[in-house]
Amino acid sequence: MRDAVPVSRQFFRDFAHLATPYWTEKGRWRPRLLTGALALLVVCQIGLVLRLNVWSADLFDALERRSTEHAMEQIGIFLLILCGTMAANMGHLAVRRHLQLDWRRWLTGRVIGRWMDASRHFQAGLIPGDHANPDGRIAEDIRVMTEAAVDLASTLFYCLLLLVTFVGILWSLSGWITVAGIAVPGHLVLLAFLYAGIGAVVAFVLGRPLVRTTDVRQTKEANFRYDLVRARESAEPIALARAEQAERGRLTAAFETIAFAWRDQSVGLARLIAFSSGYVALAAVFPILVGTPRFLEGALTLGRLMQSAQAFQQVTAALSWPVDNLPRIAEWRASVERVLALQEAVQVVTLEAARAGETAINMDRAPGPWLGVSDLWVAEPDGTALLNNLTLRVEPGEHVLVDGDPEAAAAFFRVVAGIWPWGYGRVDLPADALMVAIGRRMYLPRGTLRNALALPEAESNPGDEAIQAALTDVGLEGLGARIDQSEDWSEVLNGADLQRLAFARLLLLRPDWVVLGDATDALDPVSADALLRLVATRLPQTALVLIGQHPGSAETFNRRLTLERPKGGEVLLNEVYARRQAARAPKRRPLKVVDWLRQGYPADGPSTTHG
């Protein structure tokens, strides 16, 4: 247990570091006003609940006296309380949802800004750790994290105020009772705490087996969906084999496993809902039964008896907050962990990319018109050696092929392109000249082909004639009539056409330096060589470095450099290597008590304490 304390503190500290700048940054008045308004509305809700409790006593006292005048007066007061409650609840909902969306918008922009900056989104995907599927973490986990946090904080504040308010009322209404000759004050408060505690324990015992049956059912549901997807993806083989009957039988059998799991879950839910129904019903009657002797003795009026019953229900409802919200707390904690893991990965690669001096890759402007590297050592993302002591210098107009080990070539291309921070040495970029780096697939935003071929690097974009001429030169003349057609071109075009389109963009942009990474591997040898000759003819002063596999002839290049990957796993970056080893070690989950308690409360089960 001693080790769990710093883990939890670290969790809450990291969560606060990520989330609280929404309120604490300079000039953030809107979040503060929304939060203050939400707290004020919660206070109003508590005030209305308190007034309703007093109204209940006044009403029943009026009925006990058979006073028509006072009873009609209480009806008017109730209408005012009702209108106030409706207005407060509506305002609370509006402000709460506004705060949730605004916080989510701010946090989403913050996380995306850090993730989609200086190639961090690419680099983070290369290091080990629990940060896969960043799209889900940004779209779904941030939503759950912000919505659940506001909901939990709001309801906790409500229940704390409810508890503080109604414990005092219940204490004053309890009076004194004599137990074994001893006068005991506030007995209803003690009974409320005891009642809520027993309810939580019984619900935990009844709900514990339900967690297992719920997990089994979810597993069977997932298996059934997987079988359906597999059947869809294997549609042609199934049809050719005339195996529809066998596949239908397999899918039916898979569904029947869901039916068995459903029945087991239903039995567990029935037990839990039977207890929950009885618990809720008894909570309304129990304090009346306890207070009836005092009422019959004349120590309590009917109004005070009913008021104490309502106060008892409010206290037990407030005490049930941890039980009722355990699934929500577990869901929130899991989402926070996932967002923090993504943030940690981005911070790690940001730290590693910020290295400088002799232990870093230094990207500098060359003193003359050339592109090259000197004394370059490239490491894997885990810090081990990938390339050793590489030197290369490319002059204007040269065409150089760099091939060899595929992984080493890919890393070298990314180093020159400026998106690979692992290693050390010097990269000389051409001074005052336009350099373009294109990988295996050119980036094509969704939209028109004209916009996809837009040239932000140039002072002006080319006209229709220039675009159609470039498309014709690279063998894509069929696209000339579709340049204003909006499509997801990265999905519409095949790999070879995408690489042809990249060369068309080079012809339009006319850069001084071109670095290609596996940019011809989807083409046939004749087409690959033809495109390189086209660049040499149309852009004779442009230097081109193709790094990776080239299906054509090496004779189309002026020089060729073959990369070899060193053997033995030499460690180049000791700090990075140590960090990766630590990242692979299993991590303890914070707030383990939530997981333990959660085992008795299924997320899709009924409330075990109050309706």
Side-chain angles (χ1 to χ4, degrees):
M1 290 298 294
R2 291 173 58 188
D3 294 338
V5 174
V7 173
S8 296
R9 288 178 180 171
Q10 178 76 21
F11 171 77
F12 284 114
R13 188 185 68 184
D14 290 345
F15 170 71
H17 181 74
L18 173 66
T20 55
Y22 172 68
W23 287 273
T24 58
E25 285 182 345
K26 186 177 181 180
R28 302 289 303 172
W29 292 108
R30 184 175 180 178
R32 300 169 195 171
L33 290 174
L34 287 172
T35 305
L38 189 65
L40 181 61
L41 286 166
V42 170
V43 173
C44 291
Q45 288 177 317
I46 294 295
L48 288 165
V49 173
L50 177 61
R51 184 63 186 88
L52 184 64
N53 182 257
V54 174
W55 171 87
S56 175
D58 294 341
L59 175 66
F60 281 98
D61 282 343
L63 294 177
E64 186 180 25
R65 296 193 303 267
R66 291 179 171 80
S67 173
T68 304
E69 179 182 354
H70 286 88
M72 295 303 295
E73 180 183 347
Q74 294 307 314
I75 292 175
I77 294 174
F78 175 76
L79 291 177
L80 293 176
I81 296 174
L82 179 63
C83 292
T85 300
M86 293 170 62
N89 289 345
M90 183 175 66
H92 184 276
L93 174 67
V95 174
R96 187 184 77 241
R97 288 180 64 83
H98 196 141
L99 179 61
Q100 288 171 326
L101 179 61
D102 196 60
W103 188 15
R104 180 188 177 190
R105 178 189 293 116
W106 175 87
L107 186 56
T108 299
R110 190 180 183 91
V111 173
I112 289 178
R114 292 176 176 176
W115 176 63
M116 192 63 67
D117 177 58
S119 308
R120 305 295 179 251
H121 56 97
F122 165 72
Q123 296 162 1
L126 300 176
I127 67 175
D130 182 22
H131 52 265
N133 304 318
D135 53 327
R137 296 169 191 263
I138 295 173
E140 182 63 16
D141 288 310
I142 289 181
R143 180 191 67 80
V144 173
M145 171 181 161
T146 53
E147 290 183 7
V150 174
D151 285 340
L152 290 170
S154 175
T155 56
L156 178 60
F157 182 51
Y158 178 89
C159 287
L160 288 175
L161 288 182
L162 197 68
L163 186 63
V164 170
T165 302
F166 280 93
V167 160
I169 294 175
L170 193 59
W171 183 277
S172 64
L173 291 173
S174 298
W176 292 76
I177 62 171
T178 302
V179 179
I182 301 175
V184 179
H187 66 284
L188 286 178
V189 175
L190 178 61
L191 289 175
F193 276 83
L194 188 62
Y195 188 87
I198 292 174
V201 172
V202 174
F204 179 81
V205 173
L206 292 177
R208 197 174 183 86
L210 185 57
V211 175
R212 181 184 57 80
T213 59
T214 300
D215 290 342
V216 170
R217 178 200 158 192
Q218 291 173 344
T219 300
K220 300 301 182 184
E221 296 275 9
N223 291 341
F224 182 59
R225 289 193 300 270
Y226 172 78
D227 289 338
L228 289 172
V229 171
R230 184 175 179 275
R232 174 176 59 81
E233 294 177 346
S234 304
E236 182 179 1
I238 292 172
L240 291 174
R242 301 292 190 268
E244 288 87 351
Q245 183 175 355
E247 193 67 14
R248 187 166 55 246
R250 188 177 64 84
L251 294 174
T252 301
F255 183 81
E256 285 304 313
T257 63
I258 296 177
F260 286 118
W262 180 276
R263 284 194 288 270
D264 291 342
Q265 187 187 35
S266 297
V267 172
L269 283 171
R271 287 197 299 263
L272 190 59
I273 202 169
F275 166 74
S276 178
S277 301
Y279 181 93
V280 172
L282 183 58
V285 178
F286 181 72
I288 298 177
L289 296 177
V290 173
T292 296
R294 297 182 65 220
F295 170 72
L296 295 177
E297 293 173 359
L300 277 180
T301 65
L302 179 61
R304 295 298 178 263
L305 177 64
M306 301 308 297
Q307 185 183 14
S308 64
Q310 280 194 357
F312 184 91
Q313 287 180 283
Q314 298 294 354
V315 170
T316 56
L319 291 172
S320 73
W321 183 89
V323 173
D324 289 342
N325 288 281
L326 269 172
R328 186 71 162 159
I329 293 172
E331 180 186 27
W332 168 80
R333 190 274 311 268
S335 291
V336 172
E337 285 183 46
R338 287 170 57 81
V339 177
L340 289 176
L342 177 60
Q343 280 288 95
E344 182 182 358
V346 172
Q347 290 171 359
V348 166
V349 295
T350 300
L351 178 66
E352 293 173 357
R355 291 179 300 110
E358 296 181 354
T359 62
I361 296 176
N362 297 287
M363 310 288 289
D364 298 317
R365 287 293 178 183
W370 71 76
L371 168 68
V373 299
S374 57
D375 298 324
L376 179 66
W377 299 65
V378 182
E380 293 265 24
D382 65 358
T384 57
L386 192 56
L387 279 175
N388 287 352
N389 199 18
L390 181 64
T391 297
L392 174 67
R393 179 165 168 169
V394 181
E395 302 290 344
E398 275 195 297
H399 285 202
V400 179
L401 173 63
V402 181
D403 59 5
D405 183 85
E407 293 184 8
F412 179 51
F413 165 73
R414 292 162 181 164
V415 167
V416 177
I419 64 173
W420 190 275
W422 299 290
Y424 51 85
R426 180 184 176 92
V427 177
D428 289 321
L429 302 177
D432 299 325
L434 177 60
M435 187 185 90
V436 175
I438 299 177
R440 177 178 283 110
R441 291 174 65 90
M442 184 179 77
Y443 168 66
L444 290 176
R446 184 180 179 87
T448 65
L449 194 59
R450 183 191 302 277
N451 290 337
L453 289 171
L455 308 176
E457 304 90 340
E459 296 181 357
S460 61
N461 284 315
D464 291 359
E465 292 184 2
I467 293 176
Q468 292 176 357
L471 292 174
T472 300
D473 288 341
V474 299
L476 296 176
E477 56 275 1
L479 295 179
R482 303 171 63 186
I483 58 175
D484 290 314
Q485 182 176 330
S486 182
E487 296 281 358
D488 186 354
W489 293 102
S490 61
E491 297 294 332
V492 172
L493 302 179
N494 59 36
D497 286 346
L498 287 173
Q499 293 187 346
R500 291 177 182 274
L501 193 64
F503 277 88
R505 195 171 189 275
L506 291 177
L507 295 179
L508 293 171
L509 185 58
R510 305 184 67 83
D512 301 295
W513 303 85
V514 176
V515 180
L516 304 177
D518 287 327
T520 59
D521 63 348
L523 299 166
D524 61 88
V526 175
S527 298
D529 287 339
L531 288 175
L532 292 177
R533 285 194 295 268
L534 179 65
V535 172
T537 302
R538 297 294 179 85
L539 308 174
Q541 298 302 315
T542 297
L544 184 147
V545 183
L546 196 157
I547 305 173
Q549 303 303 311
H550 176 62
S553 172
E555 296 179 359
T556 57
F557 296 90
N558 303 113
R559 283 188 291 150
R560 180 179 185 179
L561 174 65
T562 300
L563 303 176
E564 294 184 3
R565 184 174 181 175
K567 299 178 181 179
E570 176 188 0
V571 177
L572 291 183
L573 306 173
N574 293 308
E575 291 185 6
V576 171
Y577 183 77
R579 190 179 291 122
R580 298 298 183 268
Q581 297 301 110
R584 291 187 175 93
K587 292 184 178 180
R588 296 183 60 184
R589 297 195 71 191
L591 309 179
K592 299 183 86 172
V593 66
V594 172
D595 291 328
W596 183 78
L597 290 173
R598 166 69 179 81
Q599 294 174 5
Y601 303 96
D604 57 351
S607 171
T608 58
T609 52
H610 66 278

